[in-house]
């Protein structure tokens, strides 16, 4: 059998093999990106599911429109306005099977083989994988502790042909945990406006802020209809219902709808109804407050443990929100060797090179802190500190 | 903004505009393909949803494996063995966001631009649209009242380069309602074996048989690992939960899993759990018996009404199961004109040409009979008979 050329770029990645190692039960794993399941509003979801199916089962369980449940789209629009100062017409929102699906659709919409996708260096592995199916070249835009550097983007755009879009996560980025300042956001929008560059703004963690105020989205600063905003219920509600969305200028959204129709007709009408009914019956903001309190605590625990245990020369980001932070090992210490040593010591992160489409540094590791109780976090960081020291 | 070339082939189709006409409430529409919602097991689903979330909410609402819920995959494997004599290892099943997603994945797996997809002439519009995103050429294989003609397929394969796969619906085909005999199935498998041609066997309606015995699937006759079997819960349970699957030889399934991971990570774990728990608690076979009884009755009502009302020279298929039948108008009568006249008279079907990727005949119309009570069916056929007569 002969597969499409794109499958050559979709070989089972080494990283997936490594993740199998980290999933063993005796390993303290900072490798995943899972929400804390003890916070899932189990009883509320049980109740609204039951009542909703009885109330509107015949419509709920039938085929539905591709765009998504109108009352859920309206709630999402309201939420985007309230949280991110982003005014969007509910008709300009498409509900998708998780926001991962939006990444696939963005690739499908824009990319012919050899086209260029720009991304932060490093960037979210799942997005790189989704785009990879459409055979692009990646160009990495340099970043610093404040996130993407707009001047560097401008330089790249001046000299690089066939740039189809840029993919960015301005809030609590995966993998680094970094957040762009208001100034960076404005400077970024000036650059993309100058070059008419479409922007995929991925915002899965934006509401999970542990200090400071939520900043306006790029979409809210968009005057030319360039920004496609991706949101999800996975981190503020639960990921087992696959519910994400894209909000975009209407003529762009129409293209996403067309792609959605041939990809899977529509998102689970049941899942959409349950999220909608939950927000109707309960206060999702109260629920998000609980998540923020717990994750903030866990972030503080892990930062303190690192401060106490990690050897001098190891650096890490201080995320103002989200699920991840980013370790950089001292010059000459191989992240791959640290990883191997960590596995021996029954602890794991993700080797940072997985998040660079091109450049490899073998210096970094992504650490998740949302999914574990305090004692496991502390124990894990102690083990990791030993592993780093043994590799120095 | 510059979109990918594939988007040129994904323009909003004329057919979609026509379907909007047929969706007006005062129109008796045979145009859709909706299951009868009065049969959805609403109370059972309400109960199992509630109990399941309480029982296993923390796992159910969390991220899950890409392949799908193991106990549901096991039940699907058992069902395929029981219904279609098809022995499949549960590990060789991937659960998807409806079987539409499998069609998209098949295109993604096999098709480079310009590659050839073979299909029955006519074939399912939704599949043609899904494949279209990967810029293939379609070659239509001639059919007769017994379905695809294997000798014609052989001839085409002898002379056509770059044939990547064939897409077929051997049971109660959409749009024609035709079913392949056992002899045809065997002859077809001989031809594909001879040419090593991968086969997408789409079986959404197989359990909905109103006369005779369910026939073995192509997959059950497959000795070379060429057949990918697509199934769905949309017609035997409900489509608002988006649940389909592909069963394929393991090395092929691995490719589908890779594609699934970057497309949407995994199918709604909640939907999977609900279907699984429903089958655990209730007898799905009993439920399917109710569906079969009602649809058989509706098929009989529509066939009788056509027999009584339609003018001589109009022909239609006699489906042994499924949701659709296929009208062929007398020579010289334009299906497009009949459609326009039907809309005037507040009745609708789908113009048959939508189901031919290349050849256009303007002679046929697809008629759905699963979604309406008797009196509406009879009234609709009376109106349509008048429309046909006025076009003769």
């Amino acid at each position: 059998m002969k597969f499409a050329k794109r499958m050559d770029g979709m070989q089972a990645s080494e990283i997936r093999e490594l993740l199998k190692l980290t999933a063993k039960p005796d390993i303290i794993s900072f490798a995943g990106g899972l929400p804390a399941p003890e916070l899932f509003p189990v009883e509320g979801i049980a109740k609204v599911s039951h009542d909703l199916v009885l109330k509107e089962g015949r419509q709920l369980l039938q085929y539905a429109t591709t765009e998504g449940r109108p009352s859920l789209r309206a709630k999402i629009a309201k939420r985007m306005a309230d949280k991110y100062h982003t005014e969007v017409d509910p008709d300009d929102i498409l509900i998708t099977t998780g926001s991962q699906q939006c990444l696939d659709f963005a690739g499908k919409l824009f990319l012919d083989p050899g086209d260029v996708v720009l991304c932060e260096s490093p960037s979210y592995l799942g997005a790189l994988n989704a785009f990879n199916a459409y055979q692009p070249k990646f160009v990495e835009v340099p970043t610093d502790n404040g996130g993407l550097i707009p001047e560097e983007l401008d330089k790249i755009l001046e000299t690089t042909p066939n740039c189809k879009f840029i993919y960015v996560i301005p809030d609590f980025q995966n993998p680094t945990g970094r957040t762009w300042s208001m100034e960076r956001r404005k400077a970024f929008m000036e650059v993309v406006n100058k070059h008419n560059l479409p922007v995929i703004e991925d915002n899965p963690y934006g509401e999970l802020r542990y200090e400071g105020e939520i900043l306006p989205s790029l979409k809210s600063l968009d005057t030319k209809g360039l920004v496609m905003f991706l949101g999800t219920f996975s981190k503020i509600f639960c990921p087992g219902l696959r519910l994400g969305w894209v909000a975009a200028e209407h003529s762009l959204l129409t293209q996403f709808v067309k792609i959605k129709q041939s990809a899977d007709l529509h998102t689970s009408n049941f899942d959409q109804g349950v999220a909608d009914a939950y927000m109707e019956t309960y206060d999702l903001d109260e629920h998000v407050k609980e998540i923020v309190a717990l994750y903030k605590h866990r972030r503080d625990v892990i930062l303190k443990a690192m401060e106490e245990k990690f050897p001098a020369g190891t650096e890490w980001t201080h995320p103002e929100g989200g699920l991840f932070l980013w370790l950089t090992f001292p010059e000459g210490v191989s992240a791959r060797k640290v990883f191997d040593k960590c596995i021996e010591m029954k602890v794991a992160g993700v080797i940072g090179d997985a998040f660079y489409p091109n450049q490899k540094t073998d210096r970094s590791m992504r650490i998740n802190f949302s999914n574990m109780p305090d004692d496991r976090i502390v124990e894990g960081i102690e083990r990791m500190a030993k592993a780093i020291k043994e590799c120095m």
Side-chain angles (χ1 to χ4, degrees), chain A:
Chain A
M1 276 186 207
K2 197 162 162 267
F3 299 142
K5 291 198 186 77
R6 71 176 56 82
M7 297 308 294
D8 298 342
M10 295 180 76
Q11 290 314 310
S13 65
E14 190 196 7
I15 185 71
R16 223 168 284 158
E17 294 308 305
L18 294 180
L19 279 173
K20 278 182 199 161
L21 285 179
T22 71
K24 292 184 180 167
D26 60 337
I27 287 196
I28 296 180
S29 177
F30 301 110
L34 301 184
E38 62 270 34
L39 294 186
F40 294 154
V42 168
E43 289 182 18
I45 292 177
K47 180 173 163 36
V48 299
S49 304
H50 178 264
D51 295 354
L52 182 74
V53 176
L54 286 188
K55 186 176 158 213
E56 53 168 278
R58 288 187 184 184
Q59 297 97 295
L60 187 77
L61 302 168
Q62 185 60 284
Y63 284 111
T65 58
T66 301
E67 289 83 351
R69 185 177 168 102
S71 49
L72 182 61
R73 295 162 83 200
K75 285 191 181 66
I76 289 170
K78 183 170 183 321
R79 208 165 180 88
M80 286 182 62
D82 291 350
K83 304 295 172 194
Y84 307 114
H85 310 287
T86 308
E87 300 291 337
V88 176
D89 191 306
D91 285 345
D92 294 342
I93 292 171
L94 166 70
I95 298 182
T96 55
T97 308
S99 65
Q100 180 72 27
Q101 190 176 49
C102 301
L103 301 170
D104 179 49
F105 288 179
K108 206 169 189 176
L109 175 56
F110 286 105
L111 299 176
D112 289 312
D115 283 345
V116 170
V117 172
L118 298 152
C119 65
E120 291 161 285
S121 177
S123 186
Y124 169 49
L125 176 63
L128 304 179
N129 281 341
F131 303 147
N132 241 333
Y134 303 96
Q135 301 160 272
K137 285 186 288 196
F138 290 100
V139 173
E140 300 178 35
V141 182
T143 61
D144 61 18
N145 247 330
L148 180 138
I149 303 168
E151 298 74 21
E152 297 287 342
L153 174 61
D154 193 29
K155 277 188 223 161
I156 290 169
L157 288 170
E158 294 291 353
T159 57
T160 312
N162 291 326
C163 293
K164 297 303 271 296
F165 64 82
I166 184 165
Y167 169 76
V168 292
I169 311 169
D171 297 272
F172 325 129
Q173 200 229 16
N174 183 354
T176 63
R178 292 166 181 159
T179 300
W180 304 8
S181 68
M182 194 63 202
E183 292 65 39
R184 283 277 170 104
R185 287 166 203 247
K186 286 180 180 164
F188 174 85
M189 287 310 299
E190 273 175 33
V191 174
V192 299
N193 281 338
K194 177 177 156 193
H195 296 275
N196 277 312
L197 182 71
V199 177
I200 309 292
E201 177 182 25
D202 195 2
N203 191 333
Y205 323 109
E207 292 195 39
L208 307 183
R209 183 174 264 281
Y210 316 135
E211 51 194 71
E213 291 293 309
I214 294 179
L215 290 170
S217 67
L218 300 178
K219 176 107 182 96
S220 73
L221 308 172
D222 178 23
T223 52
K224 295 179 76 170
L226 290 169
V227 179
M228 291 148 271
F229 178 102
L230 313 189
T232 177
F233 285 99
S234 292
K235 306 303 187 292
I236 57 172
F237 190 51
C238 49
L241 309 175
R242 304 294 303 128
L243 289 174
W245 69 87
V246 52
E249 186 270 319
H250 199 71
S251 69
L252 265 172
L253 196 87
T254 308
Q255 303 294 328
F256 276 93
V257 171
K258 217 184 294 175
I259 291 173
K260 173 81 177 164
Q261 177 141 32
S262 71
D264 66 1
L265 301 183
H266 62 81
T267 300
S268 165
N269 207 28
F270 191 38
D271 289 8
Q272 293 186 63
V274 168
D276 190 14
Y278 183 88
M279 287 192 278
E280 203 70 60
T281 314
Y282 300 96
D283 186 343
L284 184 59
D285 285 341
E286 281 305 310
H287 178 63
V288 173
K289 273 185 202 161
E290 285 178 41
I291 298 173
V292 166
L294 183 69
Y295 293 3
K296 177 185 190 305
H297 171 76
R298 287 178 177 175
R299 181 203 61 166
D300 293 343
V301 168
I302 204 165
L303 288 173
K304 181 160 174 287
M306 287 177 167
E307 197 62 55
E308 288 173 7
K309 307 292 177 189
F310 276 0
T314 300
E315 294 178 351
W316 53 93
T317 55
H318 177 102
E320 295 169 6
L323 309 186
F324 303 106
L325 59 77
W326 184 247
L327 293 183
T328 307
F329 300 117
E331 193 89 44
V333 174
S334 154
R336 186 162 302 271
K337 282 194 188 136
V338 174
F339 178 86
D340 291 343
K341 187 58 73 180
C342 280
I343 292 292
E344 267 176 43
M345 293 181 170
K346 309 287 183 201
V347 60
V350 181
I351 296 173
D353 279 0
F355 302 93
Y356 295 96
N358 307 319
Q359 78 162 41
K360 305 293 169 197
T361 68
D362 199 24
R363 289 267 312 269
S364 50
M365 193 173 273
R366 188 192 74 174
I367 300 291
N368 165 265
F369 53 79
S370 60
N371 191 246
M372 250 183 293
D374 299 9
D375 56 337
R376 297 268 291 176
I377 292 176
V378 173
E379 171 68 24
I381 292 301
E382 280 176 9
R383 292 182 194 175
M384 192 171 277
K386 271 186 215 155
I388 300 169
K389 283 173 194 159
E390 291 201 14
C391 294
M392 285 174 84

